[in-house]
Amino acid sequence: MYNLLLTLLLIDCVLIIIAVLMQPSKTNDAMSALTGGADDLFAKQKPRGFEAFMQKVTLVLGILFFALALGLAWLSSH
């Protein structure tokens, strides 16, 4: 059981890395990186399409990572 959870955790780690790298960039130019994006403070829009999907995938993978890590910690202590 421990080996199964560890394998699932490693697969989840790789999938989280891929999901984060596939998310579209939010900075448009170097100036917005220097100012911290203060000009976009009031221009927030809900993500649509691929960006919204990738945010949901990342959230689900993060929750799965947390659950698997807790399961592994509990299993190793018993």
Side-chain angles (χ1 to χ4, degrees):
M1 186 68 173
Y2 181 82
N3 289 335
L4 175 67
L5 286 179
L6 186 62
T7 303
L8 290 174
L9 184 69
L10 291 173
I11 291 171
D12 189 40
C13 290
V14 171
L15 290 176
I16 286 175
I17 291 170
I18 291 170
V20 168
L21 289 176
M22 286 181 62
Q23 289 182 2
S25 173
K26 296 188 182 197
T27 57
N28 295 332
D29 56 0
M31 192 59 185
S32 66
L34 293 175
T35 61
D39 54 342
D40 294 333
L41 181 62
F42 298 108
K44 292 283 186 187
Q45 295 178 357
K46 290 180 74 173
R48 302 181 194 275
F50 182 71
E51 185 178 353
F53 173 73
M54 290 308 297
Q55 284 182 357
K56 290 177 186 173
V57 167
T58 306
L59 177 69
V60 169
L61 288 173
I63 292 170
L64 183 63
F65 175 83
F66 186 70
L68 287 171
L70 283 177
L72 274 173
W74 182 83
L75 204 63
S76 67
S77 68
H78 285 90

